């Protein structure tokens, strides 16, 4: 999320490199992942949240309109 001085954040409407305002965040259920999800959602991005704790994901997604909870473990190939 760091940016160079004077540069503008692409945001969901200002596309850069094919970005269309959708992000998927692994570890999105707590800590830095949750904070990142909240920040990007506030900037207008559509947010997909991936984490192992389905209950926590559902609660967080309920507070972020349009967020998609994706329960699973990135360490597991089938998730």
């Amino acid at each position: 999320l760091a940016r160079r001085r004077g540069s503008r954040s692409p945001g969901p409407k200002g596309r850069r490199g094919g970005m269309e305002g959708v992000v998927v965040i692994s570890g999105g259920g707590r800590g830095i992942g949750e904070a990142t999800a909240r920040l990007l959602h506030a900037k207008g991005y559509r947010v997909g949240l991936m984490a192992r704790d389905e209950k926590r994901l559902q609660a967080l997604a309920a507070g972020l309109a349009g967020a998609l909870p994706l329960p699973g473990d990135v360490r597991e190939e089938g998730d």
Side-chain angles (χ1 to χ4, degrees):
L1 295 178
R3 59 184 187 179
R4 291 179 293 160
R5 179 183 277 189
S7 69
R8 295 183 59 196
S9 174
K13 293 180 183 167
R15 297 177 184 173
R16 183 186 299 169
M19 184 183 304
E20 297 184 19
V22 177
V23 295
V24 175
I25 301 170
S26 62
R30 64 180 76 228
I32 292 170
E34 179 181 349
T36 302
R38 290 183 184 282
L39 173 71
L40 293 176
H41 183 268
K43 289 182 176 241
Y45 286 86
R46 294 184 62 203
V47 179
L49 304 163
M50 185 168 193
R52 293 174 288 177
D53 187 341
E54 186 172 0
K55 263 181 140 175
R56 190 171 179 96
L57 279 180
Q58 295 290 345
L60 178 58
L64 301 174
L68 177 64
L70 303 165
D73 188 341
V74 296
R75 299 174 297 178
E76 298 295 327
E77 190 172 324
D79 282 358

